[in-house]
Amino acid sequence: MLTCGFADPVHDAQAAFRALLEATARPGTIVSLPQSGAPQPLPEAAAAIALTLCDRDTAVWLDACLATPSVCQWLRFHTASPLVADPADACFAFARADTAPFGSLSTGTDEAPERSAILVLLVKGFVPGRVLRLSGPGIETEKVLSVDGLPSAFLAWRAGNLALYPRGVDVLLISGNKAAALPRTTVVQEV
Amino acid sequence: MNAISYNFAYLDEQTKREIRRALLKALAIPGHQVPFASREMPLARGWGTGGMQVTAAVIGRDDVLKVIDQGADDTTNAVSIRQFFGRVAGVRTTTRTEEATLIQTRHRIPETPLRPGQIMVYQVPQPEPLWRLEPSRAETRRLHALAEYGIMHVKLYEDIARHGRITLAYDYPVLVHGRYVMSPSPIPAFDNPKLHRSPAIHLFGAGREKRIYAVPPYTDVVSLAFEDHPFRPWKAEAACALCGSTDTYLDEIVIDDRGTRRYVCSDTDWCERRRAQGRPV
């Protein structure tokens, strides 16, 4: 059965966007993105991101464990986004942290670095697992973010991503209805 | 009477989504100009349509909006944009800088220090800092891609060679996060230091030129200069005739036909409150 989108499409999308704006402007800040109608196994925050930012202009890629018929149907109905098979074509890639196609995502071009993918990365939770020390624009001095379920490949990939600047992939870490952003400018180090 | 009803904050949801995506990318690449579709607004391009579209995409029912035009809350552009959002979004408006969560501005940054939780939205006539030096947009995109800003430094050097100093008083170019040269919009150079590591979010919208860019909080924003010619913002050597302030940006007002001048604070909210606190000349 098709579950619902935002109960109030205008104001719920605005609230979710403001949370994402705050999260992106202040990397490592954990924000709430509730969305009661998320189809299993798509977490609430991922559903809220899709409803807020995705539409027919944004190609969406889902990893194998998320690309269930109910999720695909829900995304097509509520966002009209084209679902693509190759992560390199995606504007938004939704993936589990352990199976994410880090290296295959679009990083934009030197002249149009904004034409890169946003990676919505599903992690286990914002509890001690890996303790990350963040710095860069949006962070006054340093910020500490605990994330459970990040593979070690993530940190190596982030270092390479940072070296590409201004090209690069922007990451939204999500778990349940919580999200935190790691835009391409954020320096991520393990404590 | 049936009033024509618009979507909340005037723009349709599809347009807002596109602007919102551009804003998130702009924050992720500080100082980089992100193209956006730029819709027709119910006022002519050049009157703040870029800033209004950014405000419309960001604003929510709980926001408190302040709009200033060259520092003043009571000039035509500020009054009409404030009324516009009062009507199409039904939000609370204010003239008090510290009460506002969202401040749309034309060419000033308030004197009252900004705080986390506040968002500045700038109306930008010309987002391309290199436009007077290189007319081709294809070429300026290339220069930004290569971080090749030699022509800007040559322009500043020629200013010094001809006039002994850098002659830019407003729209003074800045280097953001050590990478992109950015136009801070036509704010006086006096306001440039307020952008450096500011706790607020700064969003820039150029409606006619269809570009959005941003400066996240706590980001390095350095005004271009030379070691032997450091950045020195210009300010009138006078005190405000109303509140006596000597450390704010002042407007020059000619008050008779013999060239007599008075100087008053450009930030009307700041000046009014200073007077209310009993600090007149």
Side-chain angles (χ1 to χ4, degrees):
Chain A
M1 195 193 79
L2 192 65
T3 52
C4 61
F6 282 136
D8 183 337
V10 173
H11 296 288
D12 289 356
Q14 190 274 336
F17 168 68
R18 275 295 271 276
L20 287 167
L21 187 79
E22 200 59 35
T24 306
R26 300 173 203 282
T29 306
I30 297 170
V31 298
S32 284
L33 292 171
Q35 206 319 92
S36 54
Q40 287 300 328
L42 196 66
E44 281 191 39
I49 289 167
L51 291 173
T52 306
L53 298 174
C54 298
D55 55 30
R56 59 178 184 265
D57 295 335
T58 58
V60 169
W61 180 85
L62 299 168
D63 82 2
C65 61
L66 289 174
T68 62
S70 66
V71 171
C72 294
Q73 185 197 23
W74 184 88
L75 276 173
R76 283 204 189 91
F77 181 81
H78 288 293
T79 69
S81 295
L83 300 179
V84 292
D86 183 353
D89 298 331
C91 302
F92 288 85
F94 294 79
R96 263 182 31 191
D98 49 351
T99 54
F102 294 120
S104 345
L105 297 166
S106 165
T107 55
T109 65
D110 288 329
E111 291 192 18
E114 76 278 5
R115 281 191 217 151
S116 57
I118 290 180
L119 172 61
V120 180
L121 201 60
L122 282 58
V123 295
K124 290 201 185 100
F126 295 106
V127 290
R130 264 177 214 282
V131 181
L132 306 178
R133 187 189 293 137
L134 312 178
S135 59
I139 301 168
E140 192 168 7
T141 49
E142 260 186 7
K143 191 158 210 153
V144 172
L145 178 68
S146 300
V147 187
D148 189 17
L150 267 186
S152 51
F154 176 80
L155 290 162
W157 169 72
R158 274 300 295 201
N161 194 54
L162 192 68
L164 289 177
Y165 187 78
R167 288 161 61 215
V169 174
D170 304 310
V171 176
L172 292 167
L173 299 172
I174 60 151
S175 172
N177 64 5
K178 299 282 184 245
L182 296 175
R184 65 192 78 183
T185 50
T186 306
V187 182
V188 182
Q189 287 164 312
E190 192 161 17
V191 175
Chain B
M1 188 189 86
N2 280 333
I4 301 168
S5 63
Y6 293 100
N7 187 26
F8 175 80
Y10 187 74
L11 292 176
D12 60 283
E13 291 302 299
Q14 163 79 24
T15 298
K16 285 187 199 169
R17 251 194 314 273
E18 196 240 350
I19 296 172
R20 286 168 179 169
R21 288 196 296 262
L23 286 170
L24 294 184
K25 289 290 187 187
L27 281 169
I29 318 166
H32 170 65
Q33 302 163 49
V34 180
F36 80 114
S38 192
R39 300 292 182 231
E40 295 284 339
M41 294 299 281
L43 77 170
R45 286 192 165 150
W47 291 87
T49 54
M52 286 173 77
Q53 290 178 80
V54 170
T55 299
V58 169
I59 202 166
R61 283 182 292 201
D62 300 331
D63 274 312
V64 181
L65 178 70
K66 172 181 164 84
V67 184
I68 51 174
D69 175 1
Q70 304 239 359
D73 293 275
D74 53 4
T75 49
T76 314
N77 196 230
V79 170
S80 49
I81 291 174
R82 192 163 59 235
Q83 280 180 353
F84 176 79
F85 283 108
R87 265 171 73 177
V88 299
V91 293
R92 260 182 67 208
T93 59
T94 185
T95 58
R96 293 284 181 101
T97 301
E98 73 276 10
E99 276 178 15
T101 55
L102 196 57
I103 303 174
Q104 182 171 331
T105 174
R106 175 174 173 271
H107 310 352
R108 260 331 291 283
I109 298 175
E111 303 288 357
T112 311
L114 300 172
R115 56 174 167 78
Q118 288 183 316
I119 300 176
M120 291 285 297
V121 177
Y122 298 76
Q123 300 172 199
V124 181
Q126 180 48 259
E128 178 49 70
L130 305 172
W131 76 288
R132 285 184 198 275
L133 311 169
E134 171 52 65
S136 157
R137 285 313 136 91
E139 189 60 28
T140 56
R141 265 201 300 278
R142 191 107 203 94
L143 293 174
H144 284 294
L146 297 167
E148 174 49 72
Y149 296 122
I151 50 171
M152 182 58 91
H153 287 102
V154 168
K155 185 257 179 299
L156 299 178
Y157 168 76
E158 284 181 346
D159 263 11
I160 294 167
R162 282 200 198 118
H163 310 287
R165 63 187 173 89
I166 294 170
T167 54
L168 297 171
Y170 66 95
D171 206 349
Y172 191 107
V174 291
L175 184 68
V176 181
H177 185 46
R179 177 58 179 80
Y180 282 102
V181 166
M182 182 190 96
S183 156
S185 86
I187 58 172
F190 177 86
D191 282 344
N192 276 17
K194 295 177 191 165
L195 279 167
H196 179 61
R197 301 195 68 79
S198 162
I201 299 173
H202 301 265
L203 308 174
F204 297 77
R208 186 189 55 215
E209 303 291 327
K210 302 181 169 66
R211 291 292 184 279
I212 280 171
Y213 54 101
V215 176
Y218 308 115
T219 300
D220 289 341
V221 179
V222 180
S223 302
L224 298 182
F226 298 99
E227 274 174 25
D228 52 345
H229 282 269
F231 171 69
R232 220 176 279 132
W234 183 87
K235 180 190 162 299
E237 289 302 322
C240 172
L242 300 174
C243 75
S245 163
T246 53
D247 55 358
T248 52
Y249 192 73
L250 302 173
D251 284 339
E252 181 182 20
I253 302 168
V254 178
I255 51 170
D256 60 21
D257 58 1
R258 288 186 298 277
T260 315
R261 283 157 164 78
R262 279 178 96 187
Y263 293 90
V264 295
C265 285
S266 138
D267 186 336
T268 52
D269 169 57
W270 201 90
C271 189
E272 270 167 28
R273 264 176 313 143
R274 227 175 102 91
R275 277 178 284 154
Q277 287 163 4
R279 279 193 277 180
V281 187

